[in-house]
Amino acid sequence: MEYLVSMTTQVPEGTSQADVNDIRAREAANSRRLAERGQLLRLWRPPLQPGEWRTLGLFAAQDGARLEGVLSSMPLRVWRSDEVTPLTPHPNDPGPASGASGAAKEFLVAFGPASPQDTTSQAMRDATAAEAVSARALAGQGHLMRLWNTPGEGHALGLWRARDATEMQTVLDSLPLAPWLSMETTPLSEHPSDPGPVRS
């Protein structure tokens, strides 16, 4: 099972820079070990406020207890709080070997049902059928990397690639189900310890 973890670090006041550097070096080494074991899949930086220290991580574990073991093994956990979102397979997920190389930026997009829309209409049923075809096409173009279901009826999370935010919005607006969805887009920046996308 995969999990998205939002990790927020608060360095205690009075901590020396040498101690911060030491724990960061140990965290990077531990991240490499977790990646080698297939437990840490990706790391990103979301948009940050001044002084904020936050990371988004994609992890794999058999269950929540195993994930907690992985997270508690990370040196920065002593200064960190974690928010875990379990991810379950989405029928339109192209799979972990999807994606294209290049300099495109990555985005996480959270999808939820918009209201008030008639979710029983024929138009929505047609759009739902067309969504699978669209997802395959967008994955083939290198835009859709991964797609998961998240807790909540009709909620999903996607990992996407685009040249910039404008192109990303154009791609999302093209989705057949766009009129029935609310979308929240988070631009992602590279993390120095990111193991990188898995490619076939």
Side-chain angles (χ1 to χ4, degrees), residues 95-184:
S98 69
S101 59
K105 298 180 182 300
E106 290 183 305
F107 299 83
L108 276 177
V109 181
F111 298 94
S115 59
Q117 295 278 352
D118 180 7
T119 59
T120 62
S121 70
Q122 183 60 47
M124 186 185 178
R125 288 195 292 273
D126 292 344
T128 300
E131 193 77 10
V133 175
S134 176
R136 285 193 299 273
L138 291 169
Q141 295 164 18
H143 288 302
L144 177 58
M145 307 273 294
R146 295 296 311 276
L147 190 61
W148 303 271
N149 287 318
T150 57
E153 182 67 30
H155 290 260
L157 180 73
L159 176 60
W160 299 79
R161 289 172 65 92
R163 285 190 306 273
D164 53 33
T166 300
E167 183 184 44
M168 186 72 263
Q169 191 58 52
T170 299
V171 169
L172 295 175
D173 289 342
S174 77
L175 295 174
L177 280 173
W180 290 273
L181 295 173
S182 64
M183 303 180 209
E184 182 180 344

Side-chain angles (χ1 to χ4, degrees), residues 2-66:
E2 292 174 313
Y3 299 85
L4 182 71
V5 183
S6 178
M7 301 173 280
T8 303
T9 300
Q10 297 283 342
V11 179
E13 192 173 336
T15 303
S16 72
Q17 189 59 49
D19 286 342
V20 171
N21 292 344
D22 173 67
I23 202 166
R24 282 185 122 156
R26 290 190 289 119
E27 181 82 359
N30 187 65
S31 294
R32 286 190 294 273
R33 284 192 295 274
L34 293 175
E36 288 166 2
R37 295 177 189 155
Q39 296 169 311
L40 172 60
L41 307 178
R42 296 296 309 274
L43 286 174
W44 303 276
R45 293 259 190 249
L48 301 174
Q49 299 298 322
E52 187 179 21
W53 188 352
R54 193 159 64 95
T55 299
L56 295 175
L58 180 63
F59 291 83
Q62 288 184 340
D63 53 37
R66 300 283 177 91

Side-chain angles (χ1 to χ4, degrees), residues 45-95:
R45 293 259 190 249
L48 301 174
Q49 299 298 322
E52 187 179 21
W53 188 352
R54 193 159 64 95
T55 299
L56 295 175
L58 180 63
F59 291 83
Q62 288 184 340
D63 53 37
R66 300 283 177 91
L67 175 68
E68 176 56 30
V70 169
L71 296 176
S72 64
S73 78
M74 301 175 80
L76 275 173
R77 186 70 180 282
V78 297
W79 294 341
R80 203 179 71 207
S81 61
D82 297 332
E83 182 181 328
V84 176
T85 302
L87 306 173
T88 54
H90 191 287
N92 295 339
D93 178 30

